Amino acid sequence: MKIQPPLSILVLHGPNLNLLGQREPQIYGALSLATIDSRLKAEAALLLVDIVTAQSNHEGVLVDKIHEALGRHQGILINPGAYTHTSVALRDAIAGVGLPAVEVHLSNVYRREEFRHHSYIAPVAVGQISGFGANSYLLGLRALVYHLQEGQGEGKEQGKS
Ligand code: CA2
């Protein structure tokens, strides 16, 4: 039996999420991004997976990070921030690398302004979790890991590993 290295997940935070905990706590909660990242690391340890986290306010930097995930990570957990509602480039990058991605949002975007109801990312994501504050990230990580593990399980049943 071949020993598999742990799954590695890239966690991407989009624009303005570096401000978390400092402004608009009524919408986005009181936790800082550093606290969310450390909770994600604790959750990843429970799930026996590795994570690498990054935040950028720049669309092209996020596109580059998605490209660089190929060969390094098996899945992407992403809060694209406002780029959710505007970015064909991020959508094309996720579709282009073909890695399973889960989209997460702190706020329930469907209870907010109409322009937040459309996501360019959702059609190329495995799924979306929205409205649970920092727990959206933890739920999203769990969903992505289960998705990846189920995929591997199916492969094994078919004698592919
Ligand atoms: O609910 C989410 O996670 C969002 O992705 C957050 C984005 C927003 O544009 C999306 O519609 C939904 C905005 C992130 C801005 O974060 C801030 C945090 C603190 C203070 C100001 C902005």
Side-chain angles (χ1 to χ4, degrees), residues 36 61 127:
I36 292 177
V61 171

Side-chain angles (χ1 to χ4, degrees), residues 59-132:
E59 191 174 21
V61 171
L62 294 165
V63 168
D64 286 343
K65 291 200 179 294
I66 292 166
H67 292 176
E68 288 160 15
L70 252 192
R72 295 185 194 178
H73 305 287
Q74 286 70 53
I76 301 172
L77 182 70
I78 182 166
N79 182 347
Y83 289 143
T84 306
H85 320 297
T86 63
S87 182
V88 177
L90 278 187
R91 174 202 184 114
D92 286 349
I94 291 168
V97 297
L99 291 172
V102 170
E103 175 186 344
V104 297
H105 297 285
L106 295 154
S107 62
N108 180 348
V109 289
Y110 302 100
R111 292 182 70 173
R112 301 184 63 195
E113 304 95 323
E114 186 117 15
F115 68 84
R116 296 187 203 274
H117 297 182
H118 176 261
S119 168
Y120 279 98
I121 311 303
V124 296
V126 178
Q128 184 197 60
I129 296 172
S130 176
F132 296 95

Side-chain angles (χ1 to χ4, degrees), residues 14-79:
N16 297 309
L17 289 160
N18 53 310
L19 296 177
L20 278 179
Q22 300 168 38
R23 306 262 155 97
E24 303 196 75
Q26 69 289 357
I27 302 176
Y28 299 118
L31 298 181
S32 68
L33 196 60
T35 301
I36 292 177
D37 280 348
S38 79
R39 289 191 182 182
L40 274 168
K41 285 193 178 120
E43 188 74 8
L46 290 175
L47 293 165
L48 306 177
V49 301
D50 292 334
I51 62 165
V52 172
T53 67
Q55 187 274 333
S56 179
N57 294 321
H58 304 279
E59 191 174 21
V61 171
L62 294 165
V63 168
D64 286 343
K65 291 200 179 294
I66 292 166
H67 292 176
E68 288 160 15
L70 252 192
R72 295 185 194 178
H73 305 287
Q74 286 70 53
I76 301 172
L77 182 70
I78 182 166
N79 182 347

